[in-house]
Amino acid sequence: EPSKSCDELWNAYELMINGDLKPWFDYHKINKKTAECTMPLFWCKPSEYIALDSRNRDYLKRYGISINVTDVDTYKKLIEEIREKMASGKIHEKDFTEISFNA
């Protein structure tokens, strides 16, 4: 339903602005709906958040990144790990949009 999707996207955006993603992750039960939870974050702010859809997860595994996201804290740790590997050159892409494009 389009209006429900739009409402959820605005909700994610509002939570991002307020800096509290925990309710968003709790609502989507991140361990069961990883892509559904992280895609809107990536759409709203691709410089800060990575989508964990199946293509990105499979692509990151090539770099030795283990995707074990169970809540907002493990998602933030994963983002930090990816950023560190990009900065050191262990991941060749320079940002999350490039990772997503290449995946």
Side-chain angles (χ1 to χ4, degrees):
E1 180 179 329
S3 64
K4 184 179 180 197
S5 296
C6 288
D7 289 345
E8 287 193 12
L9 189 57
W10 280 115
N11 185 35
Y13 186 71
E14 183 178 352
L15 290 167
M16 276 189 293
I17 288 175
N18 293 331
D20 183 14
L21 293 177
K22 187 177 181 333
W24 179 256
F25 277 72
D26 290 348
Y27 172 76
H28 282 283
K29 297 173 181 46
I30 182 68
N31 55 341
K32 295 181 181 168
K33 299 180 180 182
T34 307
E36 187 177 313
C37 185
T38 58
M39 287 298 290
L41 302 177
F42 175 73
W43 293 334
C44 290
K45 220 166 189 184
S47 62
E48 289 191 34
Y49 302 105
I50 189 163
L52 296 177
D53 58 319
S54 61
R55 286 185 179 202
N56 282 353
R57 288 193 313 264
D58 289 344
Y59 190 77
L60 290 168
K61 286 178 188 174
R62 295 178 188 178
Y63 285 119
I65 303 280
S66 175
I67 311 294
N68 186 23
V69 174
T70 57
D71 56 25
V72 69
D73 294 326
T74 54
Y75 179 64
K76 288 179 180 181
K77 285 179 186 174
L78 175 67
I79 287 173
E80 200 53 44
E81 178 185 359
I82 295 168
R83 283 191 176 139
E84 287 171 6
K85 288 190 177 199
M86 285 189 294
S88 71
K90 291 179 182 175
I91 291 180
H92 304 293
E93 289 80 6
K94 65 182 183 317
D95 57 32
F96 298 141
T97 56
E98 193 174 350
I99 288 172
S100 185
F101 179 80
N102 289 341

